[in-house]
Amino acid sequence: LQKDSDLRQPHPNLRLRNPSMDSLGGSELFEDTSGAGAGSYMSKSQAGPQASGFPGQSILSDPVSNLAMAYGSSLATQGREMVDKNLDRFIPISKLKYYFAVDTLYVGKKLGLVVFPYMHENWEVNFQQNTPVAPRFDVNAPDLYIPVMAFITYVLVAGLALGTQNRFSPELLGVQASSALVWLIMEVLVVLLSLYLVAVNTDLTTIDLLAFSGYKYVGMIIGVVAGLLFGRLAYYLCLLWCCAAIFIFMIRTLRLKLLSEAAAEGKLVRGTRNQLRMYLTMSIAAAQPVFMFWLTYHLIR
């Protein structure tokens, strides 16, 4: 009886083995799905509003973004118009485009006209629908490309001349450039004041005067380069030729601008007023050689 009871009672050191556990290689009997369930529930809860969404979400978001874009574009347009309006008040950008409408052919013809104006006959500016044509279509039209480039080239040539004399310094080159610019501005201001005092009815603008006054830098460059290459005598000869050329150029160009009444009638208008206009034209033309010599003589030694 005791043996039978011993056989019926399980041994404390023995444990029943589950075949399924052996087949799983010692894995747990029940898989812990609490984390996976929570993760799947969280992913469903997060993706739910985005996947399903509510019908009013796209309706609310699109009008707001469109309204913001329209408001931003209107602000940008208003700001650009305000900048253009205030900028045109001081710097006429639209007018400046006209004075830089040049091409290579025009530049070549204009330089030839400035240096050798004696054989040119027709000095009138061509008009199209009461508007002067662009400079690239008319060699008589004033431009700013040649004066600006000539001024920059003059400053560079002046620096070269000072360097050949061992007198170059950035400060001296700055003084040379600033003095030439100041003399140019003073010249234009004096001409404007003279036109106001004489009460000349002309279509000359301030930009036109800047253009005509800037053509003298072409002759100044030729004189300085000739002096650097061939000496002082070549400088005087070339400068004398360019001074005479710019004098003739200014006389023939400005007489149609300042003597508009006489040119319109086709005859010489007698009187004190016309004499003042003639004297003003001669004075502007005669001032060009003076400035040409004043701004270049110290560069040749």
Side-chain angles (χ1 to χ4, degrees), residues 57-202:
Q57 184 177 4
S58 60
I59 298 176
L60 291 177
S61 61
D62 292 340
V64 172
S65 62
N66 293 334
L67 181 61
M69 291 177 61
Y71 183 70
S73 62
S74 64
L75 284 181
T77 303
Q78 292 177 1
R80 184 172 63 253
E81 291 177 355
M82 185 177 298
V83 171
D84 294 340
K85 182 179 180 180
N86 293 328
L87 189 62
D88 286 338
R89 184 182 302 176
F90 301 100
I91 303 176
I93 302 297
S94 58
K95 293 182 180 179
L96 286 179
K97 292 181 180 179
Y98 165 82
Y99 291 93
F100 285 94
V102 300
D103 55 7
T104 306
L105 183 61
Y106 167 83
V107 172
K109 290 183 178 180
K110 193 71 172 186
L111 291 176
L113 184 61
V114 171
V115 178
F116 195 82
Y118 308 104
M119 303 300 294
H120 192 66
E121 296 180 357
N122 184 16
W123 292 85
E124 295 183 359
V125 178
N126 297 323
F127 284 81
Q128 184 178 7
Q129 297 180 354
N130 297 328
T131 303
V133 298
R136 63 174 174 267
F137 300 119
D138 186 10
V139 71
N140 296 323
D143 71 286
L144 283 179
Y145 176 80
I146 293 177
V148 170
M149 297 305 296
F151 179 84
I152 297 174
T153 307
Y154 161 73
V155 175
L156 297 178
V157 171
L160 178 63
L162 293 175
T164 57
Q165 302 169 10
N166 296 326
R167 295 190 297 140
F168 177 80
S169 66
E171 294 79 9
L172 189 58
L173 185 63
V175 170
Q176 186 73 24
S178 59
S179 62
L181 184 60
V182 168
W183 280 114
L184 179 63
I185 295 175
M186 290 181 61
E187 177 187 355
V188 173
L189 292 178
V190 169
V191 173
L192 288 175
L193 180 61
S194 302
L195 292 175
Y196 175 76
L197 294 177
V198 178
V200 177
N201 185 16
T202 179

